[in-house]
Amino acid sequence: MFTGIIAYTGKLHKKNNLVFNFKTKKAFCKKIKKGSSVSINGACLTVFRQPDNQLFSVQLMPETLQKTMLGQIKPGRMVNLELPVSAKELLAGHIVQGHVDGVGTIQSIQKDKNSRLLDISVTKKVSKYIADKGSVAVNGISLTAIKAQKTMFSVGIIPYTWKYTMLQQIKVGDQVNIEVDIIAKYLERLVKPYQK
């Protein structure tokens, strides 16, 4: 389980078929080992060999390539990294599982004084779980939806998040991983049997 609070970033070093190698700070690599779970742009993946200095490797399944934007990342592009939360830590963001529900597309980026507003288009299948002032994870970042519509939602990005995550490189037309709030999905499942 993750919280969507991004403490590290890295860059795709190289990819070979389904093996992706990422470069990041030594401090991050020291905290992981073979078999560790890591969130990369919001997708929970497993480190499959012992990290080496500033490099670690994960293997992606074809399903992950289909359901996320990870396959589109080119070497040198920045990614958000997060370690799983432990029982000792504060749950500072919201419950993020690292299970990507869909891919969204950045429709606009507007500056609003010290922050930025992003409009992100998504499918109806994803948007039905996003509510005004509700939690949503965008490339693994815990954010609050400002406005939720049928196939679009907006989020505000504070200067700190813009500076210390991969969002600083984002452009209109880029795709991002979206994970909706797990509570909304459980509520839907609980009430479904009682709906006519």
Side-chain angles (χ1 to χ4, degrees), residues 45-65:
L45 299 166
T46 303
V47 177
F48 85 100
R49 56 170 80 117
Q50 195 61 28
D52 178 24
N53 198 11
Q54 292 181 279
L55 295 172
F56 71 94
S57 302
V58 295
Q59 286 180 310
L60 276 67
M61 296 189 306
E63 173 80 359
T64 306
L65 288 177

Side-chain angles (χ1 to χ4, degrees), residues 46-133:
T46 303
V47 177
F48 85 100
R49 56 170 80 117
Q50 195 61 28
D52 178 24
N53 198 11
Q54 292 181 279
L55 295 172
F56 71 94
S57 302
V58 295
Q59 286 180 310
L60 276 67
M61 296 189 306
E63 173 80 359
T64 306
L65 288 177
Q66 278 183 341
K67 298 288 170 72
T68 72
M69 51 69 69
L70 291 175
Q72 299 173 21
I73 299 175
K74 293 183 170 42
R77 285 290 285 186
M78 188 184 291
V79 294
N80 294 325
L81 301 173
E82 186 184 356
L83 297 166
V85 67
S86 74
K88 297 177 186 177
E89 295 174 65
L90 288 170
L91 185 60
H94 73 280
I95 297 170
V96 178
Q97 296 185 301
H99 303 159
V100 175
D101 293 299
V103 173
T105 303
I106 304 294
Q107 296 298 319
S108 70
I109 304 168
Q110 299 172 20
K111 266 198 110 172
D112 184 17
K113 295 184 181 174
N114 69 340
S115 62
R116 284 169 176 83
L117 298 175
L118 306 184
D119 287 334
I120 303 171
S121 64
V122 289
T123 63
K124 287 181 183 177
K125 186 178 174 184
V126 171
S127 69
K128 69 178 179 175
Y129 299 108
I130 302 172
D132 289 0
K133 306 301 182 271

Side-chain angles (χ1 to χ4, degrees), residues 23-54:
K23 188 172 186 177
T24 187
K25 292 182 177 177
K26 287 181 186 179
F28 183 87
C29 286
K30 282 183 179 178
K31 293 181 180 183
I32 59 175
K33 59 185 180 183
K34 184 177 177 180
S36 293
S37 293
V38 296
S39 171
I40 301 173
N41 274 3
C44 181
L45 299 166
T46 303
V47 177
F48 85 100
R49 56 170 80 117
Q50 195 61 28
D52 178 24
N53 198 11
Q54 292 181 279

